[in-house]
mmCIF file of all heavy atoms in Angstrom:
data_model
loop_
_atom_site.group_PDB
_atom_site.id
_atom_site.type_symbol
_atom_site.label_atom_id
_atom_site.label_comp_id
_atom_site.label_asym_id
_atom_site.label_seq_id
_atom_site.Cartn_x
_atom_site.Cartn_y
_atom_site.Cartn_z
ATOM 1 N N PRO B 244 -17.402 -24.321 18.202
ATOM 2 C CA PRO B 244 -18.323 -24.371 17.016
ATOM 3 C C PRO B 244 -19.305 -23.192 17.017
ATOM 4 O O PRO B 244 -19.955 -23.000 15.992
ATOM 5 C CB PRO B 244 -19.038 -25.749 17.224
ATOM 6 C CG PRO B 244 -18.616 -26.261 18.544
ATOM 7 C CD PRO B 244 -17.514 -25.458 19.064
ATOM 8 N N MET B 245 -19.480 -22.528 18.079
ATOM 9 C CA MET B 245 -20.475 -21.384 18.113
ATOM 10 C C MET B 245 -19.794 -20.068 17.780
ATOM 11 O O MET B 245 -20.476 -19.028 17.983
ATOM 12 C CB MET B 245 -21.117 -21.279 19.522
ATOM 13 C CG MET B 245 -21.583 -22.590 20.082
ATOM 14 S SD MET B 245 -23.121 -23.076 19.355
ATOM 15 C CE MET B 245 -24.237 -22.412 20.528
ATOM 16 N N ARG B 246 -18.614 -20.083 17.352
ATOM 17 C CA ARG B 246 -17.836 -18.834 17.153
ATOM 18 C C ARG B 246 -18.427 -17.876 16.083
ATOM 19 O O ARG B 246 -18.054 -16.746 16.053
ATOM 20 C CB ARG B 246 -16.429 -19.144 16.809
ATOM 21 C CG ARG B 246 -16.182 -19.838 15.540
ATOM 22 C CD ARG B 246 -14.699 -19.710 15.055
ATOM 23 N NE ARG B 246 -13.753 -20.400 15.879
ATOM 24 C CZ ARG B 246 -12.770 -19.837 16.497
ATOM 25 N NH1 ARG B 246 -12.556 -18.523 16.346
ATOM 26 N NH2 ARG B 246 -11.866 -20.495 17.197
ATOM 27 N N ASP B 247 -19.314 -18.385 15.249
ATOM 28 C CA ASP B 247 -19.926 -17.474 14.235
ATOM 29 C C ASP B 247 -21.238 -16.881 14.641
ATOM 30 O O ASP B 247 -21.875 -16.198 13.878
ATOM 31 C CB ASP B 247 -20.054 -18.241 12.906
ATOM 32 C CG ASP B 247 -18.704 -18.701 12.339
ATOM 33 O OD1 ASP B 247 -17.744 -17.929 12.517
ATOM 34 O OD2 ASP B 247 -18.626 -19.804 11.845
ATOM 35 N N LEU B 248 -21.660 -17.241 15.805
ATOM 36 C CA LEU B 248 -23.013 -16.754 16.250
ATOM 37 C C LEU B 248 -22.941 -15.786 17.424
ATOM 38 O O LEU B 248 -22.094 -15.942 18.315
ATOM 39 C CB LEU B 248 -23.857 -17.979 16.674
ATOM 40 C CG LEU B 248 -24.213 -18.866 15.488
ATOM 41 C CD1 LEU B 248 -24.571 -20.299 15.972
ATOM 42 C CD2 LEU B 248 -25.368 -18.295 14.648
ATOM 43 N N PHE B 249 -23.790 -14.740 17.339
ATOM 44 C CA PHE B 249 -23.818 -13.785 18.462
ATOM 45 C C PHE B 249 -24.649 -14.344 19.567
ATOM 46 O O PHE B 249 -25.564 -15.129 19.407
ATOM 47 C CB PHE B 249 -24.440 -12.500 18.043
ATOM 48 C CG PHE B 249 -23.739 -11.810 16.867
ATOM 49 C CD1 PHE B 249 -24.484 -10.917 16.024
ATOM 50 C CD2 PHE B 249 -22.465 -12.036 16.568
ATOM 51 C CE1 PHE B 249 -23.823 -10.322 14.955
ATOM 52 C CE2 PHE B 249 -21.816 -11.499 15.527
ATOM 53 C CZ PHE B 249 -22.531 -10.559 14.707
ATOM 54 N N LYS B 250 -24.371 -13.894 20.733
ATOM 55 C CA LYS B 250 -25.087 -14.297 21.993
ATOM 56 C C LYS B 250 -26.588 -14.034 21.790
ATOM 57 O O LYS B 250 -27.425 -14.840 22.102
ATOM 58 C CB LYS B 250 -24.568 -13.519 23.175
ATOM 59 C CG LYS B 250 -25.199 -13.737 24.470
ATOM 60 C CD LYS B 250 -24.719 -15.059 25.087
ATOM 61 C CE LYS B 250 -25.274 -15.236 26.498
ATOM 62 N NZ LYS B 250 -24.395 -14.827 27.564
ATOM 63 N N THR B 251 -26.862 -12.869 21.210
ATOM 64 C CA THR B 251 -28.340 -12.559 21.054
ATOM 65 C C THR B 251 -29.076 -13.496 20.138
ATOM 66 O O THR B 251 -30.211 -13.802 20.288
ATOM 67 C CB THR B 251 -28.451 -11.112 20.512
ATOM 68 O OG1 THR B 251 -27.558 -10.958 19.376
ATOM 69 C CG2 THR B 251 -28.140 -10.093 21.551
ATOM 70 N N GLU B 252 -28.306 -14.002 19.096
ATOM 71 C CA GLU B 252 -28.916 -14.945 18.221
ATOM 72 C C GLU B 252 -29.204 -16.260 18.894
ATOM 73 O O GLU B 252 -30.203 -16.938 18.638
ATOM 74 C CB GLU B 252 -27.964 -15.151 17.010
ATOM 75 C CG GLU B 252 -27.862 -13.952 16.172
ATOM 76 C CD GLU B 252 -26.754 -13.993 15.097
ATOM 77 O OE1 GLU B 252 -25.820 -14.867 15.258
ATOM 78 O OE2 GLU B 252 -26.764 -13.238 14.168
ATOM 79 N N LEU B 253 -28.262 -16.628 19.830
ATOM 80 C CA LEU B 253 -28.494 -17.876 20.521
ATOM 81 C C LEU B 253 -29.654 -17.726 21.504
ATOM 82 O O LEU B 253 -30.416 -18.619 21.708
ATOM 83 C CB LEU B 253 -27.206 -18.233 21.310
ATOM 84 C CG LEU B 253 -26.010 -18.498 20.452
ATOM 85 C CD1 LEU B 253 -24.768 -18.795 21.284
ATOM 86 C CD2 LEU B 253 -26.249 -19.625 19.430
ATOM 87 N N GLN B 254 -29.820 -16.483 22.087
ATOM 88 C CA GLN B 254 -30.995 -16.299 22.912
ATOM 89 C C GLN B 254 -32.282 -16.440 22.101
ATOM 90 O O GLN B 254 -33.256 -17.022 22.565
ATOM 91 C CB GLN B 254 -30.876 -14.959 23.589
ATOM 92 C CG GLN B 254 -29.957 -15.018 24.802
ATOM 93 C CD GLN B 254 -29.506 -13.652 25.279
ATOM 94 O OE1 GLN B 254 -29.477 -12.677 24.505
ATOM 95 N NE2 GLN B 254 -29.206 -13.532 26.587
ATOM 96 N N SER B 255 -32.257 -15.825 20.904
ATOM 97 C CA SER B 255 -33.464 -15.985 20.072
ATOM 98 C C SER B 255 -33.760 -17.431 19.763
ATOM 99 O O SER B 255 -34.910 -17.901 19.778
ATOM 100 C CB SER B 255 -33.291 -15.198 18.738
ATOM 101 O OG SER B 255 -32.870 -13.917 18.954
ATOM 102 N N TYR B 256 -32.723 -18.130 19.438
ATOM 103 C CA TYR B 256 -32.907 -19.619 19.161
ATOM 104 C C TYR B 256 -33.495 -20.305 20.377
ATOM 105 O O TYR B 256 -34.473 -21.092 20.217
ATOM 106 C CB TYR B 256 -31.505 -20.189 18.833
ATOM 107 C CG TYR B 256 -31.538 -21.637 18.464
ATOM 108 C CD1 TYR B 256 -31.678 -22.074 17.138
ATOM 109 C CD2 TYR B 256 -31.378 -22.664 19.433
ATOM 110 C CE1 TYR B 256 -31.689 -23.399 16.791
ATOM 111 C CE2 TYR B 256 -31.389 -23.972 19.049
ATOM 112 C CZ TYR B 256 -31.568 -24.360 17.793
ATOM 113 O OH TYR B 256 -31.527 -25.734 17.464
ATOM 114 N N ALA B 257 -32.944 -20.041 21.524
ATOM 115 C CA ALA B 257 -33.466 -20.709 22.737
ATOM 116 C C ALA B 257 -34.943 -20.380 22.980
ATOM 117 O O ALA B 257 -35.736 -21.241 23.397
ATOM 118 C CB ALA B 257 -32.665 -20.282 23.910
#
Side-chain angles (χ1 to χ4, degrees):
Chain B
M245 312 282 266
R246 64 163 68 237
D247 297 321
L248 292 157
F249 303 156
K250 178 80 175 259
T251 47
E252 293 169 342
L253 299 179
Q254 279 164 333
S255 308
Y256 181 91

